[in-house]
Amino acid sequence: GAKGGGKGGGNKGGERWVSEHDYCSTLNSVLPRDVRVLGWAPVSDGFSARFSASSRTYRYFFVRQNLDLGAMADAAKRFVGDHDFRNFCKIDAANVSNFRRVLKSFTLHSQECSAPSAMRFEEPAPNLPNLPN
């Protein structure tokens, strides 16, 4: 495991340690200012973000002002539940046979000045059994 807060590595008290690289800063230094990496976590070598995750949370932030949040909230409610999203998916017949997804929630949050309006929804990963409505 990674230990220590500095850069590099060492041997302290007979225990070898290696410090973690600041991936967020590295990625944010090359991303557009409106795209940010907030965190990361180590995973096993066999982990696939697409196929191994048990659920996902997405957050979208809109910089544009004067959005019709009422209309957006009404539309968001229509996505909650079990739906077939094959028309929104990249077709990958070798790896994906189920295009149904269960969205557990889809909410809108409005924030003043320092942060734009945010939209968030969560879905279980496709390899989980569908949950009852």
Side-chain angles (χ1 to χ4, degrees):
K3 297 187 185 257
K7 299 213 182 268
N11 189 336
K12 186 175 184 180
E15 184 177 315
R16 187 173 188 285
W17 60 271
V18 177
S19 64
E20 293 177 357
H21 182 75
D22 186 358
Y23 291 108
C24 294
S25 293
T26 300
L27 291 169
N28 287 331
S29 72
V30 296
L31 288 169
R33 290 188 56 76
D34 59 343
V35 177
R36 300 285 87 188
V37 174
L38 303 177
W40 70 277
V43 296
S44 67
D45 289 341
F47 182 83
S48 163
R50 185 171 180 198
F51 298 110
S52 301
S54 59
S55 69
R56 296 178 179 92
T57 298
Y58 298 88
R59 291 186 182 153
Y60 298 93
F61 296 88
F62 299 95
V63 177
R64 184 175 159 209
Q65 302 297 314
N66 302 318
L67 296 172
D68 187 343
L69 294 179
M72 291 172 73
D74 183 53
K77 286 190 287 189
R78 299 167 195 267
F79 281 94
V80 175
D82 184 329
H83 302 282
D84 186 329
F85 285 95
R86 81 180 64 235
N87 291 329
F88 298 97
C89 297
K90 175 182 175 186
I91 301 300
D92 181 1
N95 294 304
V96 180
S97 60
N98 177 13
F99 300 98
R100 299 197 69 79
R101 303 293 182 267
V102 177
L103 271 65
K104 297 186 291 186
S105 67
F106 193 142
T107 56
L108 294 167
H109 304 276
S110 179
Q111 293 181 286
E112 297 298 322
C113 298
S114 62
S117 300
M119 176 174 36
R120 172 184 176 179
F121 67 90
E122 298 179 14
E123 66 164 311
N127 58 347
L128 294 180
N130 289 335
L131 301 174
N133 290 339

